[in-house]
Amino acid sequence: MKKTIYLLVCATTLVFALNSCKSSDPAVDTTLQFSTLPVEQQKANVEQNGIDLVNKLDGVKDTKAMSALLSFMNHSNGSTAFLVRPLSDLRTNVLRNNVKTLDVLSTQMRVAANVGDNIWGEWSWSSEINDFVKSKTLVNQAIYHFPADSGSLVNNGELSLTYIESNIVAPKSNPTQNMPSSFALTVKVGTTTVLKANFAATYNTDATPITLSQTLEIEKYNWSIDLSNNQKDVSAKYAFKYDTQVLLKYEIGAAGSFTAKSIEESTGPQDIIDGGYMSIQIMNIALYGGIADMKSMMNEGNALKPDSVIHTQQYGNETYSYTEYIYSKAYYEKEVGIFNKYLKFYAFFVAENQKFADAEFYLVEKNEQYYDYYNYPYQLKTRTVYNAQPRLVLSDGSKVDMSNYNQLTGFEDLIKQLESYNMNF
């Protein structure tokens, strides 16, 4: 039971946001009314929201920044080889809409910046030697002038990297590397800045971040990550926007005790987490949910006890006893009651500030075959098993299993488009 509840809590907290916890979004603290639109129209709006997202993402590949990065990598040779991997992965991850883009970039920039001090300086591409030539030595800064246009010999592009490391050693780094304190990466075509990435962080001695802020701007597309951990409250915020329009946003937060000692000595999440939340927004669709009282939920869950039957078997002169634990339907009904008491989440339209679905857990039962090893001779038997599953409660009161929602809304066009774009959200 403890493990089951813990896994469900983690899953829910990582997919929804708590409506009773404090959040930067006022919608979380508001009792939202259901949308007055017919359910079928609500479903159509959800699908159209996803299609609009795909269409908006399509423009990333046509930005000047993507062309400039490709041109820089094509001109990389020798002195700039250390930048090929991070820039190549940055370009690939941006085009794949990978939410780990910024995290991968910061890790790879740390590795790239540790190849040696000879990389720092101002460089210009020379077609005569097919490599960059250093004209000036700099400290913790590298500036590269290169042809940003395919087939051109004019150095109209500029890539600039400034990197400052902290005094905190990066875990598992071999050879030893220090965590980045800050870095700035910019790409210009002519006088126009087409890409700008910034990173700043402070760390505990074990390299876990106390604060971390990272941004990436590619023309009107912009990404950001903010992390905070004061050992009592932790939060992580991610946003992907086109200009000011939210394309994808999520926020995770938890309150409790997050010191290394409390985590090491904990017997379960109730010893660490008081409550947690998460929000996910995809354009005009948002999901919120979470848990406000972890300790009470775990206490009630741990208080549930299955029925037990003691079996005895005789082997020669020895008698052996076995305890069989029976998780009855009544047991799982109580479990579902606990989930619905403490886990709260819903989905709504952001601009209208109206719900289109609440969510609840319910009991699913099915028959399965099993071998009865408690009674000899062993036999193949059939029994009923139970499982708690989430489902949506729509504005008309109808209830739909979450795994079947997309099948009922005509999401086929959206799914095909997502697959064609190789989405990696």
Side-chain angles (χ1 to χ4, degrees):
M1 173 63 193
K2 179 178 178 180
K3 182 178 180 181
T4 302
I5 289 185
Y6 172 65
L7 292 175
L8 279 167
V9 168
C10 291
T12 305
T13 303
L14 291 175
V15 180
F16 301 99
L18 181 64
N19 60 356
S20 59
C21 279
K22 293 182 179 179
S23 170
S24 59
D25 195 318
V28 179
D29 301 314
T30 304
T31 302
L32 300 184
Q33 300 298 316
F34 267 111
S35 170
T36 57
L37 292 174
V39 169
E40 290 306 316
Q41 183 60 52
Q42 294 175 36
K43 294 176 181 178
N45 289 352
V46 172
E47 178 184 19
Q48 187 59 49
N49 183 85
I51 293 175
D52 291 342
L53 171 65
V54 172
N55 292 335
K56 184 70 71 175
L57 294 174
D58 194 38
V60 177
K61 68 178 185 297
D62 298 322
T63 60
K64 291 182 179 180
M66 293 294 100
S67 298
L69 287 178
L70 184 60
S71 181
F72 181 84
M73 290 184 292
N74 287 338
H75 287 87
S76 293
N77 186 17
S79 58
T80 57
F82 74 102
L83 281 174
V84 172
R85 176 66 183 273
L87 294 181
S88 175
D89 284 353
L90 172 62
R91 188 175 185 276
T92 299
N93 287 331
V94 165
L95 293 176
R96 292 187 62 208
N97 306 292
N98 191 341
V99 295
K100 295 184 178 181
T101 296
L102 298 185
D103 182 50
V104 172
L105 176 62
S106 61
T107 300
Q108 292 185 337
M109 292 308 298
R110 169 173 60 82
V111 175
N114 279 273
V115 298
D117 292 339
N118 62 321
I119 65 174
W120 306 122
E122 187 165 7
W123 307 72
S124 295
W125 169 259
S126 170
S127 58
E128 295 180 358
I129 64 172
N130 197 35
D131 201 351
F132 286 86
V133 177
K134 182 186 284 191
S135 59
K136 185 189 302 183
T137 298
L138 302 172
V139 178
N140 296 327
Q141 185 179 24
I143 301 174
Y144 298 93
H145 302 281
F146 66 99
D149 300 323
S150 178
S152 174
L153 298 178
V154 178
N155 289 337
N156 64 329
E158 178 186 291
L159 186 148
S160 175
L161 169 65
T162 301
Y163 188 95
I164 306 296
E165 67 177 21
S166 70
N167 61 355
I168 303 298
V169 175
K172 300 180 181 180
S173 57
N174 186 19
T176 299
Q177 300 167 1
N178 284 8
M179 298 294 290
S181 174
S182 66
F183 71 75
L185 174 69
T186 61
V187 177
K188 292 182 179 180
V189 176
T191 59
T192 303
T193 300
V194 296
L195 183 150
K196 182 164 57 176
N198 288 283
F199 174 97
T202 60
Y203 307 92
N204 293 304
T205 55
D206 62 358
T208 57
I210 300 172
T211 61
L212 186 151
S213 177
Q214 190 170 0
T215 60
L216 172 65
E217 299 177 28
I218 297 179
E219 297 179 17
K220 289 189 175 183
Y221 294 93
N222 58 89
W223 297 255
S224 65
I225 288 180
D226 289 285
L227 305 178
S228 176
N229 176 12
N230 63 10
Q231 297 187 339
K232 292 183 179 180
D233 298 288
V234 297
S235 66
K237 301 177 182 180
Y238 172 89
F240 174 30
K241 300 178 180 179
Y242 180 81
D243 205 356
T244 59
Q245 181 185 17
V246 173
L247 302 181
L248 175 67
K249 182 173 72 172
Y250 70 75
E251 178 179 342
I252 302 173
S257 177
F258 298 95
T259 65
K261 181 179 180 181
S262 63
I263 294 173
E264 181 180 353
E265 296 178 352
S266 68
T267 60
Q270 74 278 5
D271 297 333
I272 305 170
I273 304 172
D274 296 331
Y277 69 92
M278 183 173 176
S279 64
I280 295 179
Q281 179 182 344
I282 300 178
M283 297 190 75
N284 195 41
I285 302 298
L287 303 175
Y288 288 99
I291 180 171
D293 190 347
M294 174 73 78
K295 182 172 292 186
S296 294
M297 178 175 172
M298 294 299 296
N299 287 341
E300 288 193 30
N302 289 332
L304 285 179
K305 302 298 180 184
D307 298 327
S308 61
V309 176
I310 298 177
H311 300 270
T312 59
Q313 291 185 356
Q314 189 74 29
Y315 290 97
N317 296 325
E318 298 291 334
T319 300
Y320 296 90
S321 297
Y322 305 89
T323 301
E324 178 185 8
Y325 294 99
I326 302 173
Y327 294 86
S328 64
K329 183 176 183 180
Y331 174 95
Y332 284 104
E333 287 175 339
K334 292 177 182 178
E335 185 182 65
V336 166
I338 294 173
F339 293 161
N340 287 329
K341 179 179 179 180
Y342 290 101
L343 299 177
K344 308 296 181 182
F345 47 95
Y346 58 87
F348 72 99
F349 299 115
V350 176
E352 297 82 357
N353 209 31
Q354 293 180 326
K355 288 190 297 185
F356 65 86
D358 277 321
E360 67 178 11
F361 286 90
Y362 73 108
L363 197 61
V364 176
E365 58 181 77
K366 66 177 182 179
N367 293 326
E368 71 171 14
Q369 291 186 317
Y370 74 104
Y371 277 99
D372 181 5
Y373 290 110
Y374 290 101
N375 297 286
Y376 187 82
Y378 306 138
Q379 296 180 6
L380 182 63
K381 296 182 178 180
T382 301
R383 64 184 173 190
T384 303
V385 294
Y386 306 92
N387 189 24
Q389 295 286 350
R391 66 184 173 190
L392 298 175
V393 182
L394 306 183
S395 59
D396 62 356
S398 59
K399 300 180 179 182
V400 182
D401 189 276
M402 286 187 178
S403 62
N404 296 329
Y405 183 72
N406 65 330
Q407 300 174 15
L408 300 178
T409 58
F411 273 23
E412 294 83 0
D413 292 340
L414 170 58
I415 292 173
K416 288 179 181 178
Q417 289 199 45
L418 292 174
E419 290 175 346
S420 68
Y421 281 88
N422 193 24
M423 288 297 180
N424 192 22
F425 286 132

